[in-house]
C-alpha cells in the first residue's frame, strides 16, 4: 500500500492512539510524509511514549522523507526513540520537533544518533536546549557538513 502523505494535525491523539496509528503505518509499503504536529489551541496531540514503536518503522521503511512531530508533547523516551530510528535512515531528510519541551540533556543524549543520520533539515524551535544543547548540536553540524548540507532551525 502506498500513501504519500498522512496528516493527523491537531486530532487530539493520545499516546495509545499514536501507538495504534504507528502500527498501521508499519503496514504501508510507502509513506513519504507524516505530520502528527499540533497547532495552538484545542485538540493538541499528546503522543508521549506512544511514538516509541516508530523507532522500528524508521529502521525498516525506506520511503519516509519528512516527519513533523512539532508541538505533539513527546516524552523524553519518545524523542530518543525517534532519534534512534533516524540513525542511519537513508531516506529521512526532514525532522521537525519544535515545541516539545526538549531540554538540553535530552538533546545531548541523542547526538550520536543524529550524527549518523542523513537529515538535511532539523527544526527544534521553542525548546529549552540552552547552551549545552547547542554545543552538543554543533557536533552534529560538524559531522553533517562533511556529508551533506544540514539546515537547522533553533
Amino acid at each position: 500500500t502506498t500513501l504519500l502523505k498522512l496528516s493527523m494535525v491537531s486530532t487530539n491523539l493520545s499516546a495509545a492512539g499514536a501507538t495504534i496509528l504507528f502500527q498501521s503505518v508499519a503496514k504501508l509499503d510507502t509513506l513519504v510524509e507524516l505530520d502528527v504536529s499540533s497547532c495552538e489551541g484545542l485538540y493538541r496531540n499528546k503522543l508521549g511514549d506512544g511514538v516509541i514503536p516508530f523507532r522500528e518503522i524508521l529502521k525498516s521503511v525506506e520511503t519516509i522523507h519528512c516527519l513533523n512531530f512539532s508541538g505533539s508533547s513527546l516524552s523524553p523516551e519518545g524523542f530518543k526513540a525517534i532519534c534512534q530510528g533516524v540513525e542511519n535512515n537513508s531516506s529521512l531528510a526532514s525532522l521537525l520537533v519544535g515545541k516539545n519541551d526538549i531540554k538540553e540533556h535530552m538533546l545531548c543524549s541523542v547526538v550520536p544518533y543524529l550524527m549518523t543520520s542523513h537529515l538535511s533539515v532539523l527544526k527544534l524551535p521553542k525548546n529549552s536546549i540552552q547552551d549545552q544543547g547547542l554545543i552538543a548540536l554543533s557536533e552534529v553540524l560538524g559531522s553533517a557538513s562533511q556529508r551533506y548540507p544540514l539546515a537547522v532551525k533553533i
Side-chain angles (χ1 to χ4, degrees):
T1 307
T2 298
L3 189 60
L4 295 181
K5 180 176 181 175
L6 177 59
S7 177
M8 300 290 291
V9 175
S10 294
T11 52
N12 206 24
L13 283 177
S14 66
T19 299
I20 293 167
L21 172 66
F22 298 138
Q23 288 170 345
S24 298
V25 166
K27 298 173 186 172
L28 295 172
D29 297 318
T30 303
L31 176 64
V32 176
E33 182 178 346
L34 176 65
D35 188 347
V36 288
S37 63
S38 289
C39 300
E40 296 293 327
L42 298 176
Y43 307 116
R44 295 186 56 83
N45 293 333
K46 297 171 189 74
L47 306 183
D49 289 344
V51 299
I52 291 174
F54 206 69
R55 171 180 40 221
E56 298 309 314
I57 295 168
L58 283 170
K59 290 180 180 180
S60 61
V61 177
E62 293 294 324
T63 59
I64 298 175
H65 293 282
C66 182
L67 292 175
N68 189 349
F69 289 100
S70 297
S72 58
S73 301
L74 297 175
S75 67
E77 296 80 16
F79 175 64
K80 184 174 184 176
I82 290 169
C83 293
Q84 288 171 331
V86 166
E87 181 183 31
N88 296 317
N89 180 299
S90 61
S91 66
L92 188 66
S94 298
L95 179 61
L96 291 68
V97 288
K99 201 171 183 183
N100 270 296
D101 201 27
I102 296 168
K103 306 282 189 221
E104 62 185 307
H105 69 278
M106 293 166 61
L107 186 58
C108 292
S109 73
V110 300
V111 163
Y113 310 118
L114 296 176
M115 286 180 72
T116 58
S117 74
H118 291 82
L119 292 174
S120 56
V121 175
L122 175 61
K123 291 190 177 183
L124 295 157
K126 298 184 180 180
N127 286 300
S128 182
I129 62 170
Q130 301 179 357
D131 292 345
Q132 289 304 313
L134 186 59
I135 290 167
L137 189 59
S138 69
E139 292 179 41
V140 176
L141 296 174
S143 70
S145 67
Q146 297 171 11
R147 297 186 314 264
Y148 49 83
L150 174 64
V152 176
K153 180 178 180 183
I154 301 174

